[in-house]
Amino acid sequence: MSAAKRVQQWATFARTWHVFDCKWQDPYESAHVIKKYLMGLHKPIYHPMNDCGDVVVCINSKDIALRGNEWRKRAYFHHTGYPGGASWTLAWELHNKDPTMIIKKAVYRSMTGNLQRRHTMQRLFIYPEDKVPEDVMQNVTNQIRQIRLVPTRLDHIPEEEVKNFPKIMDYPEDYVLK
Amino acid sequence: MASLVRAAFSVSKNSLISTSVRSISTTKQLNIKEIREKVEGGNIVVEAVNVPSPRTELLVRAENLGPLKTIDVSEAVKSDKAPCYMCSLGLDVKHTDVLILSQFVRSDGCMLPRRITGLCKRQQKKIGKMVSMAQKAGLMINLTPANCKKDPTKRKDYKKFNTYFDETTIFMKNVPRWTDRFKFRQSAK
Ligand SMILES: [Zn+2]
């Protein structure tokens, strides 16, 4: 095998490390993107029996955004196995307990249920903040594009820019400014 | 009966008490006013100062932009009245566009009524809902009542976490749950 071919072989079967910033991202939408990288679905050599999945590092998982009223309407079910052992935890309660759990469960549920799923999940790292251990961060070579735009708060926009922004509504002639 | 009594009372009250003298002027009597308070030797002086509108120079109107290419046909053509300034601009405003939405609120974050905004009913409803979406998402936290803590992460329970909204749900009669996939696909189209 020539040297160029050998490098191509390494590059084809090497595990790439991707980073994904969860800030203001819907975990259930981003799970379908993360899943593709974890399973290796984005590679032309993909096959279910081929171990070609990549590693994904999710950061800022405490800043995920849920749609509408889902923080208080979505419930996570758990059963201890004993009679009367069922419990329902609301999404915001679960996020209070563990800010990585919602995105972990979302990615787990987005994959079809076979035993390979457990091994694929081992390649997912989730961190609540943007502080990542150095030995993890030094492997990262790619960033996954975010799905939704991160909104800007009005008080973070400079006052001059707010003042000089084109106006649509003008006050009526007898308006008392409040 | 009660309404009859009320009507009779208001007519008699107006005829007796109301002054027939109305001030008539050929120039503009009312101007945009700013309430200013200042302390002068132990007395608080409250005065209303006439100020020019801070927005007139930066105002964008569809008729000044040349031919009306951007008009939103679906919302404007339904009635035979002329479209309001928001409809004729045809902007696709999202709840994250705080620079636009903040023009329709008072300094305490309260949506201005329709007699002041001058929007049509549909746009007033739409903008009002998007203002409340932006407020719930904590994007206009500086435009809140004075007793607000001005930090969305310090709110209670589920309110302290980030929330985003879907503008297509604004005119839905009832928003489908995420489990009702079939219904949602129907109503989205
Ligand atoms: Zn209109």
Side-chain angles (χ1 to χ4, degrees), chain A residues 6 21 31 51-52 62 70-72 77 87 96 107 121-122 135 142 155 160 163-164 166:
Chain A
R6 202 179 328 157
D21 191 354
D51 183 19
C52 62
K62 70 170 182 6
E70 273 191 44
W71 279 116
R72 58 185 191 278
F77 176 74
S87 69
N96 264 339
V107 175
M121 286 299 291
Q122 294 295 308
D135 56 336
N142 186 32
D155 51 334
E160 196 64 23
K163 209 190 231 175
N164 293 328

Side-chain angles (χ1 to χ4, degrees), chain A residues 1-10:
Chain A
M1 192 181 272
S2 70
K5 276 277 173 197
R6 202 179 328 157
V7 173
Q8 193 185 17
Q9 176 89 353
W10 290 340

